[in-house]
Amino acid sequence: MLPPEIPVIKDRIIQTAMRNVIEPIFETKFYKHSYGFRPKCGSKDALRRIDELMKVGYLYIVEFDIKAYFDNVDKEILISKIQERIADNRIIKLL
């Protein structure tokens, strides 16, 4: 049996299918300068943006990471926010 943090192939297929459905719905709402775990965005894009900002006079960069943030998200609130944009209960149940 695999450790729980390694999804089996069936789970990975379902996760990918879900991402393919959900991602375009929410992508337009995300802040354009948020680069982590976004399609067609990566660390090089973030570095380019930092370079742009430094060239116009910005002096400071703030980076932070909240330990175990996603472990502590209120799932009921999250699902209710998702339901505001996705009406298909089959998708909600899979989430």
Side-chain angles (χ1 to χ4, degrees), residues 5-20:
E5 66 274 0
I6 302 174
V8 295
I9 191 72
K10 182 179 176 183
D11 290 341
R12 293 187 72 132
I13 291 169
I14 292 169
Q15 290 168 0
T16 300
M18 290 288 288
R19 187 188 73 228
N20 290 342

Side-chain angles (χ1 to χ4, degrees), residues 2-87:
L2 295 173
E5 66 274 0
I6 302 174
V8 295
I9 191 72
K10 182 179 176 183
D11 290 341
R12 293 187 72 132
I13 291 169
I14 292 169
Q15 290 168 0
T16 300
M18 290 288 288
R19 187 188 73 228
N20 290 342
V21 169
I22 293 172
E23 190 172 74
I25 295 169
F26 289 96
E27 183 60 31
T28 59
K29 290 294 195 180
F30 293 150
Y31 181 62
K32 71 178 182 177
H33 296 298
S34 176
Y35 299 98
F37 306 101
R38 305 271 306 280
K40 301 178 185 173
C41 293
S43 58
K44 289 181 182 178
D45 299 300
L47 290 171
R48 278 189 212 93
R49 179 64 177 154
I50 290 168
D51 186 55
E52 290 171 6
L53 293 172
M54 290 176 69
K55 285 177 180 173
V56 296
Y58 285 85
L59 301 174
Y60 302 99
I61 298 168
V62 177
E63 177 186 10
F64 61 92
D65 188 13
I66 301 171
K67 184 177 180 181
Y69 174 79
F70 290 106
D71 296 335
N72 296 298
V73 169
D74 185 315
K75 310 282 187 288
E76 289 183 27
I77 293 172
L78 179 60
I79 292 295
S80 72
K81 290 292 187 184
I82 291 170
Q83 285 177 311
E84 291 174 9
R85 306 221 31 171
I86 297 176

